[in-house]
Amino acid sequence: MPLLPSRSAERHPRCPVVTVETRLHAAYTRRDVSERIIYGTLPMTWEGAQPGPVLRVVFFRSASGREPVREWLLSLSREDRRRLGRRIKAAQYGWPIGMPVVRKLEADLWEVRVTISGGIARVVFTVDDDLMVLLHAFVKKSMKTPVADLRTARRRLALTRGRE
């Protein structure tokens, strides 16, 4: 199958609309809220396109009602929150998406990656059907993901799945 789009009979007010015959990498095809996207200079659609987000984003909530990831995000500067929000939104609308936005850590655990003023931020999440559950967030200070942060994410994953 060719990766090039073919022309469609449908027309856009300013330029032709094309249909993607094969699903291109999600990072290059899915954008924001509409099913029309800009690829080069032409709006494009793809078969089975969804007009909204692929995943719904929710925060992990502890038994006491706290949402640690939301609290951590609120402790950041406005610009850092924006950067993280854009990356989370890219994952939400473009799922499945890969590097450099998202990296798989292990079974059922992924991380959203972004550089902020304080270092390299990571938001660990899981996907359950159409839910993106934000489990844990931290600023990474070394090359390897800290064991304590992975342990926290695994524990919260088990709690969301009903295991202890």
Side-chain angles (χ1 to χ4, degrees):
M1 273 196 239
L3 285 177
L4 296 174
S6 64
R7 294 192 183 274
S8 169
E10 182 183 356
R11 295 278 178 192
H12 184 270
R14 283 185 235 93
C15 56
V17 173
V18 292
T19 304
V20 175
E21 292 180 348
T22 60
R23 188 173 174 180
L24 299 173
H25 189 272
Y28 300 112
T29 58
R30 295 190 181 159
R31 296 282 192 268
D32 253 22
V33 182
S34 83
E35 65 182 337
R36 284 197 180 165
I37 54 140
I38 302 300
Y39 185 77
T41 58
L42 299 176
M44 299 175 77
T45 60
W46 63 94
E47 228 175 279
Q50 299 174 355
V54 177
L55 301 173
R56 290 182 303 128
V57 177
V58 295
F59 292 91
F60 167 80
R61 183 174 290 165
S62 66
S64 64
R66 289 185 55 238
E67 294 176 335
V69 176
R70 184 187 304 262
E71 293 168 8
W72 181 81
L73 285 171
L74 291 173
S75 72
L76 299 174
S77 71
R78 184 177 182 160
E79 182 56 33
D80 290 344
R81 283 195 310 265
R82 278 191 184 151
R83 286 183 186 162
L84 272 161
R86 280 194 294 264
R87 285 293 174 102
I88 291 169
K89 185 176 181 180
Q92 176 187 14
Y93 279 79
W95 187 255
I97 192 169
M99 292 287 281
V101 177
V102 173
R103 182 176 74 106
K104 186 167 184 157
L105 294 173
E106 56 188 49
D108 298 329
L109 283 180
W110 290 268
E111 67 178 0
V112 172
R113 309 153 46 92
V114 65
T115 302
I116 60 173
S117 60
I120 303 168
R122 300 291 191 250
V123 179
V124 181
F125 69 95
T126 189
V127 175
D128 191 17
D129 291 327
D130 67 336
L131 278 182
M132 177 182 186
V133 183
L134 305 181
L135 299 170
H136 185 58
F138 59 95
V139 174
K140 193 170 168 182
K141 299 196 185 332
S142 65
M143 291 293 287
K144 202 164 168 90
T145 303
V147 175
D149 290 312
L150 265 177
R151 195 175 312 126
T152 301
R154 286 183 196 128
R155 187 177 69 246
R156 290 176 181 168
L157 173 64
L159 290 171
T160 59
R161 301 273 164 94
R163 300 184 301 261
E164 297 236 7

